[in-house]
């Protein structure tokens, strides 16, 4: 699922597709102006985040009805159908099919970008939750890299290969349809939301690889007890629930900071930066692939260090590096015509920015979103997070070309300010959630939310094994 998200972000960059748009339009209506081509291309690109927005709106109702695994299985419809549509677009002689398919595959991305981290966060042991939570972002970067490699003109980035490249997204969806049914549904979903302890126990035993899962099941019962007074939370009453106020604000700020920090603008600007540094036009695509490889490598590094360094530190370092890179890039772009070596500084700034974003702002927000919310509030929280994520993504894609034409190099100062503001918010508000249970994380926010934690502990001896906490409630 995550691979498809990243793949469809980058696969649309083939210049041969623009030639296809021009040829089809001129065959129908006559000469095509550059402005009309730009408009059609902008619509094609923007359909993806727009579909992602609608997919995010579907998260809460689907995961509560079908479960986490069931929703991911259902979601493959939104990948296989558009893959077929895009694959036959050239034969059909229709760019409208591509535009519609981009919207549908965007729905797939909107669902998967929220449901995958939710599912993995719920099935992972707490001491590995951060590392496993970053794996979706790793596969997003792998998907981007694969699309960049396929987009090389000698591979599939040519007139004959681009329909194959677009339809490739259906292959991982087909693989998932075959393999995912053999995996267990989230035990937390089965126990807390469905009340099916037998299936939850069996799934947990398969996931952990041992029979004794009583302690973890008991922790789930504690969470279930604490949530009974709250009931099932919807998106609307999530905003009015006092004990979740700062968690919800944190989700909004992190996702806005992630998307409005300029990551998409950096990629938009990268080709012109490489060209200005003297990289030949035929070689720019290879440098872009190299940047994608750096992104993958640094995300792999984040997987291995997140459980040692913690979530908060990686976010602070990441946004700090991005802020500094944006400031230096502004200076480098301003002086790039005056000194011969300055364009190379621009390339270094792009790479440093990619490294900073890959270790913190890109992977960590979904991990923390999973950990800040409990079972009943997690689906609507991810729905809010996804909505903010995709609307911010859509806004950057829509506004940045105007910023770039109006402000030029100074547009990156705006991104630097957003990175700095997000860094300050994280420093002041967000606690470290490493190795914490979902209830313990709720307790960390209790003081800021001005709610009281009332613990009612009843100890039960389990055949000579260590005692288990049964009831803990949040009021």
């Amino acid at each position: 699922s995550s691979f498809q998200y990243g793949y469809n972000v980058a696969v649309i960059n083939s210049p041969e597709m623009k030639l296809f748009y021009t040829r089809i339009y001129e065959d129908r209506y006559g000469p095509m102006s550059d402005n009309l081509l730009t408009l059609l291309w902008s619509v094609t690109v923007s359909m993806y985040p727009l579909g992602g927005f609608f997919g995010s709106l579907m998260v809460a109702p689907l995961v509560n009805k079908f479960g986490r695994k069931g929703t991911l299985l259902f979601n493959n419809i939104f990948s296989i159908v558009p893959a077929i549509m895009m694959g036959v677009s050239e034969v059909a002689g229709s760019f409208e099919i591509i535009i519609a398919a981009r919207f549908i595959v965007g729905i797939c991305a909107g669902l998967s970008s929220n449901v995958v981290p939710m599912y993995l966060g719920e099935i992972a042991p707490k001491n590995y939750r951060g590392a496993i939570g970053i794996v979706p972002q790793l596969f997003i970067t792998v998907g981007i890299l694969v699309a960049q490699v396929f987009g090389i003109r000698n591979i599939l980035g040519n007139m004959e290969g681009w329909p194959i490249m677009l339809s490739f997204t259906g292959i991982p969806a087909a693989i998932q349809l075959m393999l995912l049914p053999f995996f267990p549904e989230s035990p937390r979903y089965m126990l807390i939301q469905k009340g099916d302890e037998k299936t939850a126990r069996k799934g947990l035993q398969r996931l952990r690889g041992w029979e004794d899962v009583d302690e973890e099941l008991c922790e789930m019962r504690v969470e279930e007890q604490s949530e009974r007074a709250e009931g099932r939370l919807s998106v609307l009453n999530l905003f009015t629930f006092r004990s979740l106020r700062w968690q919800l604000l944190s989700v909004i700020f992190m996702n806005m900071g992630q998307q409005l920090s300029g990551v998409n603008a950096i990629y938009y600007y990268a080709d012109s930066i490489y060209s200005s540094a003297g990289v030949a036009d035929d070689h720019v695509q290879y440098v872009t692939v190299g940047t994608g490889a750096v992104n993958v490598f640094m995300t792999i590094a984040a997987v291995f260090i997140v459980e040692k360094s913690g979530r908060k530190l990686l976010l602070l370092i990441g946004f700090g590096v991005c802020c500094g890179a944006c400031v230096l890039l502004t200076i480098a772009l301003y002086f790039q015509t005056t000194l011969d070596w300055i364009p190379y500084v621009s390339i270094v700034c792009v790479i440093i920015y990619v490294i900073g974003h890959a270790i913190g702002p890109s992977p960590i927000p979904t991990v923390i979103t999973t950990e800040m919310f409990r079972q009943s509030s997690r689906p609507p929280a991810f729905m809010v997070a996804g909505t903010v994520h995709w609307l911010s993504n859509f806004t950057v894609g829509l506004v940045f070309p105007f910023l770039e034409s109006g402000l030029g190099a100074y547009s990156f100062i705006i991104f630097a300010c957003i990175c700095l503001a997000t860094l300050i918010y994280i420093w002041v508000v967000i606690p470290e959630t490493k190795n914490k249970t979902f209830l313990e994380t709720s307790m960390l926010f209790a003081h800021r939310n001005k709610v009281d934690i009332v613990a009612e502990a009843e100890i039960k001896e389990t055949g000579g094994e260590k005692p288990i906490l049964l009831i803990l409630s949040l009021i």
Side-chain angles (χ1 to χ4, degrees):
S1 291
S2 299
F3 175 90
Q4 294 175 65
Y5 173 10
Y7 185 83
N8 285 294
V9 166
V11 76
I12 200 69
N13 290 326
S14 172
E16 301 296 336
M17 291 181 61
K18 290 186 178 181
L19 295 178
F20 169 73
Y21 274 47
T22 303
R23 176 169 58 85
I24 294 301
Y25 184 89
E26 290 182 348
D27 287 346
R28 294 180 188 171
Y29 311 112
M32 184 181 195
S33 67
D34 290 340
N35 288 337
L36 181 57
L37 177 60
T38 301
L39 176 62
L40 283 175
W41 194 250
S42 298
V43 170
T44 304
V45 173
S46 62
M47 282 296 104
Y48 187 66
L50 186 63
F53 166 70
F54 281 97
S56 297
L57 296 180
M58 298 163 62
V59 170
L62 286 179
V63 296
N64 286 328
K65 182 176 179 61
F66 299 120
R68 282 62 170 152
K69 186 183 83 169
T71 300
L72 289 175
L73 287 171
F74 173 76
N75 192 33
N76 287 299
I77 295 173
F78 299 113
S79 179
I80 293 174
V81 171
I84 296 171
M85 292 170 65
M86 290 186 287
V88 302
S89 57
E90 186 181 32
V91 176
S94 171
F95 53 76
E96 294 89 350
I97 291 179
I98 297 176
I99 294 173
R102 288 283 294 175
F103 177 79
I104 298 171
V105 82
I107 294 175
C108 173
L111 277 166
S112 66
S113 63
N114 292 286
V115 180
V116 170
M118 188 190 308
Y119 178 57
L120 294 180
E122 290 181 6
I123 68 175
K126 67 179 181 180
N127 56 318
Y128 290 115
R129 194 182 298 132
I132 292 174
I134 291 178
V135 170
Q137 180 61 35
L138 172 60
F139 275 88
I140 289 173
T141 62
V142 170
I144 292 172
L145 179 61
V146 169
Q148 289 170 339
V149 172
F150 282 179
I152 293 174
R153 293 181 187 91
N154 293 333
I155 302 179
L156 290 176
N158 49 57
M159 188 60 74
E160 295 78 23
W162 68 261
I164 300 172
M165 187 167 63
L166 288 180
S167 62
F168 180 81
T169 187
I171 294 177
I175 294 173
Q176 187 183 69
L177 270 178
M178 291 187 290
L179 297 182
L180 190 58
F182 296 100
F183 287 77
E185 178 57 89
S186 163
R188 286 184 174 273
Y189 169 77
M190 295 307 301
L191 179 64
I192 298 176
Q193 291 184 244
K194 291 296 186 181
D196 188 348
E197 182 173 339
K198 182 179 179 181
T199 303
R201 179 183 294 275
K202 185 177 178 181
L204 204 54
Q205 288 170 339
R206 285 187 61 200
L207 288 166
R208 300 294 178 261
W210 53 76
E211 293 296 315
D212 184 11
V213 293
D214 287 338
E215 184 174 354
E216 201 165 348
L217 283 172
C218 190
E219 184 261 316
M220 294 181 194
R221 293 191 201 102
V222 170
E223 186 176 343
E224 180 187 20
Q225 291 287 337
S226 72
E227 290 194 324
R228 282 185 178 177
E230 298 176 9
R232 182 73 59 80
L233 292 178
S234 67
V235 172
L236 292 178
N237 59 25
L238 187 68
F239 281 91
T240 61
F241 210 78
R242 189 174 178 179
S243 66
L244 298 173
R245 183 174 301 161
W246 281 100
Q247 291 97 310
L248 194 60
L249 285 173
S250 298
V251 163
I252 293 171
F253 273 99
M254 281 193 300
N255 279 277
M256 288 181 66
Q258 181 195 62
Q259 291 300 308
L260 300 181
S261 60
V263 61
N264 295 317
I266 286 285
Y267 281 114
Y268 178 86
Y269 225 90
D271 286 358
S272 62
I273 290 173
Y274 298 149
S275 297
S276 68
V279 179
D281 290 343
D282 290 342
H283 295 159
V284 166
Q285 57 185 340
Y286 299 105
V287 180
T288 302
V289 169
T291 306
V294 169
N295 198 2
V296 172
F297 177 79
M298 293 310 301
T299 308
I300 292 173
V303 171
F304 288 100
I305 65 177
V306 66
E307 295 300 348
K308 296 188 182 211
S309 62
R311 290 74 157 129
K312 184 173 182 176
L313 180 61
L314 287 183
L315 280 173
L316 293 174
I317 292 174
F319 277 110
V321 168
C322 290
C323 178
C326 283
V327 173
L328 291 176
L329 183 59
T330 302
I331 297 171
L333 290 173
Y334 183 79
F335 289 106
Q336 70 177 354
T337 58
T338 59
L339 297 170
D340 292 339
W341 53 271
I342 283 291
Y344 296 99
V345 176
S346 301
I347 292 180
V348 172
C349 288
V350 170
I351 295 173
I352 290 174
Y353 182 95
V354 169
I355 290 172
H357 218 275
I359 63 172
S362 285
I364 303 298
T366 54
V367 176
I368 295 185
T369 301
T370 301
E371 295 178 329
M372 285 193 302
F373 294 89
R374 291 174 292 159
Q375 197 69 24
S376 65
S377 55
R378 194 172 296 122
F382 265 98
M383 190 169 165
V384 171
T387 300
V388 173
H389 172 100
W390 288 102
L391 281 179
S392 300
N393 188 324
F394 181 77
T395 300
V396 170
L398 192 65
V399 172
F400 178 73
F402 299 99
L403 278 179
E404 189 265 330
S405 62
L407 299 177
Y410 293 109
S411 57
F412 287 98
I413 289 294
I414 297 175
F415 299 132
C417 292
I418 292 172
C419 289
L420 181 61
T422 309
L423 185 151
I424 293 171
Y425 180 90
I426 292 168
W427 176 271
V428 173
V429 175
I430 296 180
E432 180 54 64
T433 59
K434 180 180 70 173
N435 284 336
K436 300 288 193 300
T437 66
F438 297 126
L439 273 175
E440 287 170 343
T441 303
S442 294
M443 294 167 70
L444 292 175
F445 278 95
H447 177 70
R448 189 172 294 278
N449 287 321
K450 296 181 180 178
V451 295
D452 296 323
I453 298 291
V454 179
E456 301 175 15
E458 177 185 340
I459 302 301
K460 175 183 177 183
E461 297 295 337
T462 56
E465 299 174 359
K466 58 185 177 181
I468 297 173
L469 179 67
L470 286 187
I471 301 173
L472 180 65
S473 59
L474 175 66
I475 297 180

